[in-house]
Short mmCIF file of all heavy atoms in Angstrom, two decimals:
data_model
loop_
_atom_site.label_atom_id
_atom_site.label_comp_id
_atom_site.label_asym_id
_atom_site.label_seq_id
_atom_site.Cartn_x
_atom_site.Cartn_y
_atom_site.Cartn_z
N ASP A 341 1.50 1.49 -1.10
CA ASP A 341 2.46 2.58 -1.19
C ASP A 341 1.98 3.69 -2.10
O ASP A 341 2.70 4.63 -2.37
CB ASP A 341 3.80 2.08 -1.70
CG ASP A 341 4.46 1.15 -0.69
OD1 ASP A 341 4.28 1.38 0.52
OD2 ASP A 341 5.11 0.21 -1.12
N GLU A 342 0.74 3.57 -2.57
CA GLU A 342 0.23 4.57 -3.48
C GLU A 342 -1.05 5.19 -2.92
O GLU A 342 -1.71 4.61 -2.06
CB GLU A 342 -0.07 3.97 -4.87
CG GLU A 342 1.17 3.75 -5.70
CD GLU A 342 1.88 2.45 -5.35
OE1 GLU A 342 1.21 1.50 -4.96
OE2 GLU A 342 3.12 2.40 -5.48
N ILE A 343 -1.37 6.36 -3.45
CA ILE A 343 -2.58 7.05 -3.03
C ILE A 343 -3.38 7.37 -4.29
O ILE A 343 -2.86 7.96 -5.24
CB ILE A 343 -2.24 8.34 -2.27
CG1 ILE A 343 -1.55 7.99 -0.95
CG2 ILE A 343 -3.50 9.16 -2.01
CD1 ILE A 343 -1.02 9.19 -0.20
N HIS A 352 -1.03 8.51 -7.12
CA HIS A 352 0.17 9.20 -6.65
C HIS A 352 0.96 8.27 -5.74
O HIS A 352 0.40 7.35 -5.16
CB HIS A 352 -0.21 10.46 -5.84
CG HIS A 352 -1.01 11.43 -6.61
ND1 HIS A 352 -0.45 12.47 -7.31
CD2 HIS A 352 -2.35 11.52 -6.82
CE1 HIS A 352 -1.41 13.16 -7.89
NE2 HIS A 352 -2.57 12.61 -7.62
N LYS A 353 2.22 8.58 -5.59
CA LYS A 353 3.02 7.85 -4.62
C LYS A 353 2.82 8.46 -3.24
O LYS A 353 2.66 9.66 -3.11
CB LYS A 353 4.50 7.94 -4.99
CG LYS A 353 4.94 6.87 -5.96
CD LYS A 353 6.44 6.91 -6.15
CE LYS A 353 6.87 5.85 -7.13
NZ LYS A 353 8.28 6.01 -7.54
N GLN A 354 2.85 7.57 -2.25
CA GLN A 354 2.84 8.08 -0.88
C GLN A 354 4.26 8.48 -0.50
O GLN A 354 5.22 7.79 -0.81
CB GLN A 354 2.31 7.04 0.09
CG GLN A 354 2.21 7.59 1.51
CD GLN A 354 1.44 6.67 2.43
OE1 GLN A 354 1.18 5.52 2.12
NE2 GLN A 354 1.07 7.18 3.58
N GLU A 355 4.35 9.59 0.17
CA GLU A 355 5.65 10.07 0.59
C GLU A 355 6.28 9.06 1.55
O GLU A 355 5.66 8.70 2.54
CB GLU A 355 5.52 11.43 1.27
CG GLU A 355 6.82 12.18 1.34
CD GLU A 355 6.56 13.68 1.37
OE1 GLU A 355 5.65 14.12 2.09
OE2 GLU A 355 7.27 14.39 0.68
N PRO A 356 7.49 8.61 1.26
CA PRO A 356 8.11 7.58 2.10
C PRO A 356 8.30 8.04 3.53
O PRO A 356 8.67 9.18 3.79
CB PRO A 356 9.47 7.35 1.43
CG PRO A 356 9.32 7.87 0.04
CD PRO A 356 8.32 8.99 0.13
N GLY A 357 8.03 7.14 4.46
CA GLY A 357 8.26 7.42 5.86
C GLY A 357 7.21 8.29 6.51
O GLY A 357 7.34 8.67 7.66
N ASN A 358 6.17 8.63 5.77
CA ASN A 358 5.12 9.49 6.32
C ASN A 358 3.84 8.68 6.41
O ASN A 358 3.37 8.15 5.41
CB ASN A 358 4.93 10.71 5.42
CG ASN A 358 4.18 11.81 6.13
OD1 ASN A 358 3.30 11.55 6.94
ND2 ASN A 358 4.53 13.04 5.82
N SER A 359 3.27 8.57 7.59
CA SER A 359 2.08 7.76 7.77
C SER A 359 0.82 8.45 7.28
O SER A 359 -0.18 7.82 7.01
CB SER A 359 1.91 7.37 9.24
OG SER A 359 1.81 8.54 10.03
N ALA A 360 0.88 9.76 7.16
CA ALA A 360 -0.28 10.48 6.66
C ALA A 360 -0.37 10.35 5.14
O ALA A 360 0.55 9.88 4.49
CB ALA A 360 -0.17 11.95 7.04
N LEU A 361 -1.52 10.76 4.61
CA LEU A 361 -1.71 10.68 3.17
C LEU A 361 -1.06 11.89 2.50
O LEU A 361 -1.72 12.86 2.14
CB LEU A 361 -3.20 10.62 2.83
CG LEU A 361 -3.94 9.38 3.31
CD1 LEU A 361 -5.40 9.43 2.88
CD2 LEU A 361 -3.31 8.11 2.79
N THR A 362 0.23 11.81 2.35
CA THR A 362 0.96 12.89 1.69
C THR A 362 1.72 12.32 0.51
O THR A 362 2.16 11.18 0.52
CB THR A 362 1.94 13.58 2.65
OG1 THR A 362 2.86 12.61 3.14
CG2 THR A 362 1.22 14.21 3.81
N THR A 363 1.86 13.14 -0.51
CA THR A 363 2.54 12.72 -1.73
C THR A 363 3.67 13.68 -2.03
O THR A 363 3.62 14.85 -1.64
CB THR A 363 1.55 12.71 -2.92
OG1 THR A 363 1.13 14.05 -3.17
CG2 THR A 363 0.34 11.84 -2.63
N PRO A 364 4.68 13.20 -2.76
CA PRO A 364 5.80 14.09 -3.11
C PRO A 364 5.37 15.30 -3.93
O PRO A 364 5.98 16.37 -3.83
CB PRO A 364 6.72 13.17 -3.93
CG PRO A 364 6.40 11.80 -3.48
CD PRO A 364 4.93 11.82 -3.16
N CYS A 365 4.31 15.19 -4.70
CA CYS A 365 3.89 16.30 -5.55
C CYS A 365 3.03 17.30 -4.80
O CYS A 365 2.74 18.38 -5.30
CB CYS A 365 3.13 15.78 -6.76
SG CYS A 365 1.54 15.06 -6.37
N GLY A 366 2.59 16.94 -3.59
CA GLY A 366 1.84 17.88 -2.77
C GLY A 366 0.37 17.99 -3.09
O GLY A 366 -0.29 18.91 -2.64
N VAL A 367 -0.18 17.03 -3.85
CA VAL A 367 -1.59 17.13 -4.23
C VAL A 367 -2.50 17.09 -3.02
O VAL A 367 -3.56 17.69 -3.00
CB VAL A 367 -1.96 16.02 -5.23
CG1 VAL A 367 -1.91 14.64 -4.58
CG2 VAL A 367 -3.32 16.26 -5.84
N THR A 368 -2.07 16.41 -1.98
CA THR A 368 -2.94 16.25 -0.82
C THR A 368 -3.08 17.55 -0.04
O THR A 368 -3.95 17.66 0.82
CB THR A 368 -2.41 15.14 0.10
OG1 THR A 368 -1.03 15.38 0.36
CG2 THR A 368 -2.55 13.79 -0.55
N ASN A 369 -2.24 18.52 -0.34
CA ASN A 369 -2.39 19.81 0.31
C ASN A 369 -3.69 20.49 -0.09
O ASN A 369 -4.20 21.36 0.61
CB ASN A 369 -1.22 20.72 -0.05
CG ASN A 369 0.10 20.18 0.48
OD1 ASN A 369 0.12 19.42 1.43
ND2 ASN A 369 1.19 20.57 -0.14
N GLU A 373 -8.89 14.41 2.88
CA GLU A 373 -8.45 13.02 2.84
C GLU A 373 -9.58 12.06 2.47
O GLU A 373 -9.31 10.93 2.09
CB GLU A 373 -7.85 12.62 4.19
CG GLU A 373 -6.53 13.32 4.43
CD GLU A 373 -5.71 12.65 5.55
OE1 GLU A 373 -6.23 11.71 6.16
OE2 GLU A 373 -4.58 13.09 5.78
N LEU A 376 -9.21 10.79 -0.98
CA LEU A 376 -8.00 10.03 -1.26
C LEU A 376 -8.13 8.63 -0.69
O LEU A 376 -8.69 8.43 0.37
CB LEU A 376 -6.78 10.73 -0.66
CG LEU A 376 -6.57 12.16 -1.13
CD1 LEU A 376 -5.53 12.84 -0.26
CD2 LEU A 376 -6.14 12.19 -2.59
N GLN A 378 -5.83 5.19 0.11
CA GLN A 378 -4.54 4.53 0.13
C GLN A 378 -4.70 3.17 -0.54
O GLN A 378 -5.63 2.42 -0.24
CB GLN A 378 -4.07 4.37 1.57
CG GLN A 378 -2.61 3.99 1.66
CD GLN A 378 -2.13 4.02 3.10
OE1 GLN A 378 -2.91 3.85 4.02
NE2 GLN A 378 -0.85 4.22 3.28
N CYS A 395 4.88 12.21 -9.55
CA CYS A 395 5.18 11.12 -8.63
C CYS A 395 5.82 9.93 -9.35
O CYS A 395 6.57 9.18 -8.76
CB CYS A 395 3.92 10.63 -7.93
SG CYS A 395 3.26 11.81 -6.75
#
Side-chain angles (χ1 to χ4, degrees):
D341 293 326
E342 283 83 31
I343 294 173
H352 301 267
K353 274 187 181 169
Q354 184 169 13
E355 198 153 43
N358 197 325
S359 59
L361 295 181
T362 59
T363 65
C365 68
V367 67
T368 51
N369 295 337
E373 291 197 356
L376 303 168
Q378 194 173 26
C395 290

